[in-house]
Amino acid sequence: MQATSPIRSGSAAAPAPLPAAAARKPARRSRSWAPLEPVSPRARWMLGVGFFVLFMVVWAAVTLGGLVSPTFLASPVTMVKEAWLLFTEFNFIHDIGMTVWRVFGGFILAAVVAVPLGIAMGAYKPVEAFLEPFVSFCRYLPASAFIPLLILWAGIGETQKLLVIFIGSVFQIILMVAVTVGGARKDLVEAAYTLGADSRGIVRRVLIPGAAPGIAETLRLVLGWAWTYVIVAELIGSSSGIGHMITDSQALLNTGQIIFGIIVIGVIGLISDFVFKAINKRLFAWASL
């Protein structure tokens, strides 16, 4: 019988060939289009501005090309001319100032009332059980439905307009703040009790500091909603404001002024959103760690 030759020490067996699929190189992934892959700040700005440029190009092509009648949609050139007339002949800067005052006046009034109530609802369950059904009911009521009553109660002056924005904002803030405060980490609360904190100390030293970034973000979001309510408030019984200008322009079929008024609202709202976000980031920089 033939003897097998022994394997010499130090020699390794030949590796088995890899399957064809495994031997294939992995596909090169495009980092910029990978799911959930972040983009650089510069690319974000360029993409955001690019959409506005594309929108303006399409708008100009549709209107200047004669695809839509100027009666129904003014061109960008016409809108710029009407905007110049608004500032030079119709004191539009006063209308802008009145609208900004109404938005922030009603919003601040709503925040002053809603934030303490939301903290109380989130921290104390009996308060939540007492208030939540009513607040949940009221937040579904459109602010515009209250305008006839508010005109009867407060007339057509500034109080009525502030109350429309107040009603449209206050119930949303209450519920969102309550959810934010009620979602506090239970281990932090138990640790505070262990260290000797009482109920007021839990609210003041644990719940409010922990919920502060979320409350600030809630206020930023609701401020955007307040801009939609101010136009509703200015459509009826108003002699100033962007909404008043839009109503007058609609009666004259001046779509250039209407579009410019809408754009002004969007620009002011966007600026206020950026400012609010920057303030929140500075005050609560630790929240993103």
Side-chain angles (χ1 to χ4, degrees):
M1 187 171 62
Q2 188 176 1
T4 58
S5 58
I7 299 176
R8 289 177 298 181
S9 61
S11 65
L18 293 174
R24 234 181 269 148
K25 289 184 179 181
R28 186 179 181 85
R29 186 177 66 170
S30 175
R31 300 291 296 180
S32 59
W33 291 101
L36 303 181
E37 190 72 23
V39 297
S40 65
R42 182 170 179 269
R44 179 178 294 276
W45 275 100
M46 291 179 63
L47 290 172
V49 173
F51 180 84
F52 281 100
V53 172
L54 178 61
F55 177 81
M56 293 295 293
V57 169
V58 173
W59 177 18
V62 169
T63 53
L64 297 177
L67 298 178
V68 179
S69 171
T71 304
F72 299 104
L73 181 63
S75 66
V77 177
T78 303
M79 184 202 69
V80 172
K81 293 179 180 178
E82 295 296 338
W84 176 258
L85 289 176
L86 284 174
F87 283 110
T88 56
E89 297 185 12
F90 298 102
N91 196 19
F92 188 53
I93 194 70
H94 173 71
D95 292 323
I96 294 176
M98 291 302 298
T99 297
V100 171
W101 140 250
R102 289 161 184 162
V103 168
F104 282 94
F107 172 76
I108 291 173
L109 183 62
V112 168
V113 173
V115 171
L117 286 176
I119 293 174
M121 282 180 60
Y124 301 104
K125 296 305 177 184
V127 177
E128 180 183 20
F130 180 69
L131 290 178
E132 185 179 16
F134 177 75
V135 174
S136 297
F137 166 77
C138 289
R139 78 186 184 96
Y140 286 104
L141 301 178
S144 57
F146 290 91
I147 291 180
L149 280 176
L150 294 177
I151 291 176
L152 289 175
W153 296 342
I156 59 174
E158 294 302 310
T159 303
Q160 175 257 335
K161 297 168 182 59
L162 293 177
L163 287 176
V164 171
I165 300 169
F166 172 83
I167 292 173
S169 304
V170 65
F171 301 110
Q172 312 291 340
I173 297 176
I174 291 174
L175 279 184
M176 294 174 72
V177 170
V179 170
T180 301
V181 174
R185 290 172 51 184
K186 298 298 187 293
D187 56 340
L188 296 179
V189 175
E190 294 299 331
Y193 276 127
T194 303
L195 294 174
D198 57 5
S199 297
R200 292 183 60 185
I202 293 294
V203 175
R204 187 163 49 91
R205 296 179 176 270
V206 179
L207 296 183
I208 293 179
I215 294 173
E217 186 67 13
T218 294
L219 295 176
R220 183 181 72 86
L221 294 175
V222 178
L223 177 60
W225 299 345
W227 280 99
T228 63
Y229 303 134
V230 70
I231 301 303
V232 175
E234 291 178 344
L235 289 179
I236 301 176
S238 180
S239 59
S240 62
I242 301 176
H244 169 70
M245 184 277 293
I246 291 176
T247 304
D248 286 351
S249 301
Q250 183 266 338
L252 299 174
L253 299 179
N254 193 331
T255 55
Q257 292 184 1
I258 295 174
I259 295 172
F260 181 70
I262 295 172
I263 291 176
V264 168
I265 293 171
V267 170
I268 298 175
L270 191 62
I271 292 173
S272 64
D273 187 78
F274 280 148
V275 171
F276 217 122
K277 189 181 296 185
I279 294 174
N280 290 352
K281 189 175 182 180
R282 187 176 183 85
L283 291 177
F284 309 109
W286 49 268
S288 59
L289 299 178

